[in-house]
Amino acid sequence: MTDIIFHVGFVKTATSTLQKAVFPHLPGIHYLGQPCPDLTSYEMIHAICDPVSSASWRENAAWDYERTKEFFAENAKGNMTTLVSYEGYTSHKTKDKTQTAERIKSLFPGAKIIFTLRRQPDLVKSWYLQKLKQHANSYEPFDDWVTAGLADPQNSIFGDIDFNGIISTYESLFGAENIGIFLYEELR
């Protein structure tokens, strides 16, 4: 397989814009990511961060190492670099972010990793406003929402903004030279 790049997040850092308007149109790039073109692509991209239910993550029913590896090999396009983008790899919905990074490493030891970051106060405000629109019937004051999130950061956006911890995990697995960090504020 040719080179592969994983854009792993973070949420609310222009990921949707990058996924819809930028990544699919880059020359020399074969884009596999959100929004996924079909159900199989969706399943394979998401399977990498599915939670573990057994002692060995390679034995997990949702995580089929060989099937996932085969999917990416079959979907490689000649000499083009494959770009996979899914901010869920670093989201609180992914219960074990280290496991996800290890899965990517096991599949593609030479992968390059891209992070997009945003000032955390702005990211948190953006997340709150998005959720407020989605759940207009269950309004929760911002201060109460922050207090609840900080009390349980692993199940909220507050666990997602530990940029240093998550990036350090990827650096230890892939090497700092294989990590790219881009700032939302500089993408404008």
Side-chain angles (χ1 to χ4, degrees):
M1 180 171 189
T2 57
D3 293 337
I4 189 162
I5 300 169
F6 278 82
H7 171 235
V8 297
F10 290 86
V11 297
K12 304 308 293 175
T13 60
T15 49
S16 294
T17 299
L18 292 169
Q19 291 162 342
K20 294 175 186 171
V22 177
F23 293 156
H25 308 289
L26 292 173
I29 295 291
H30 172 56
Y31 180 64
L32 284 175
Q34 298 291 102
C36 295
D38 55 60
L39 182 59
T40 301
S41 297
Y42 178 90
E43 289 173 348
M44 292 296 97
I45 290 165
H46 287 73
I48 294 170
C49 64
D50 278 347
V52 173
S53 61
S54 66
S56 170
W57 56 263
R58 285 192 183 222
E59 297 170 7
N60 184 289
W63 166 245
D64 184 334
Y65 174 85
E66 294 301 329
R67 183 172 173 234
T68 305
K69 185 89 173 165
E70 182 179 297
F71 166 80
F72 282 100
E74 289 173 356
N75 282 279
K77 299 281 188 197
N79 293 337
M80 296 178 79
T81 297
T82 299
L83 173 59
V84 179
S85 178
Y86 179 48
E87 64 275 22
Y89 293 146
T90 56
S91 163
H92 63 277
K93 294 176 184 176
T94 300
K95 296 302 179 195
D96 190 337
K97 296 174 185 82
T98 298
Q99 169 195 288
T100 298
E102 290 170 344
R103 286 180 175 184
I104 294 170
K105 178 69 173 178
S106 74
L107 286 164
F108 307 104
K112 307 276 190 236
I113 308 297
I114 296 175
F115 290 96
T116 46
L117 308 182
R118 183 177 187 176
R119 288 186 61 245
Q120 285 119 323
D122 295 341
L123 186 153
V124 169
K125 180 179 174 184
S126 178
W127 183 266
Y128 173 77
L129 292 173
Q130 177 183 336
K131 296 304 173 189
L132 188 62
K133 287 179 192 173
Q134 292 174 348
H135 306 286
N137 295 336
S138 60
Y139 170 75
E140 183 174 15
F142 182 75
D143 290 344
D144 294 349
W145 176 80
V146 168
T147 301
L150 290 173
D152 189 17
Q154 297 311 312
N155 291 308
S156 75
I157 189 69
F158 295 96
D160 298 355
I161 60 175
D162 175 18
F163 295 159
N164 187 51
I166 296 167
I167 293 170
S168 293
T169 296
Y170 279 85
E171 282 183 342
S172 71
L173 290 169
F174 293 91
E177 68 280 4
N178 293 310
I179 305 294
I181 298 174
F182 302 90
L183 303 178
Y184 170 89
E185 291 78 8
E186 294 178 2
L187 295 175
R188 295 179 180 187

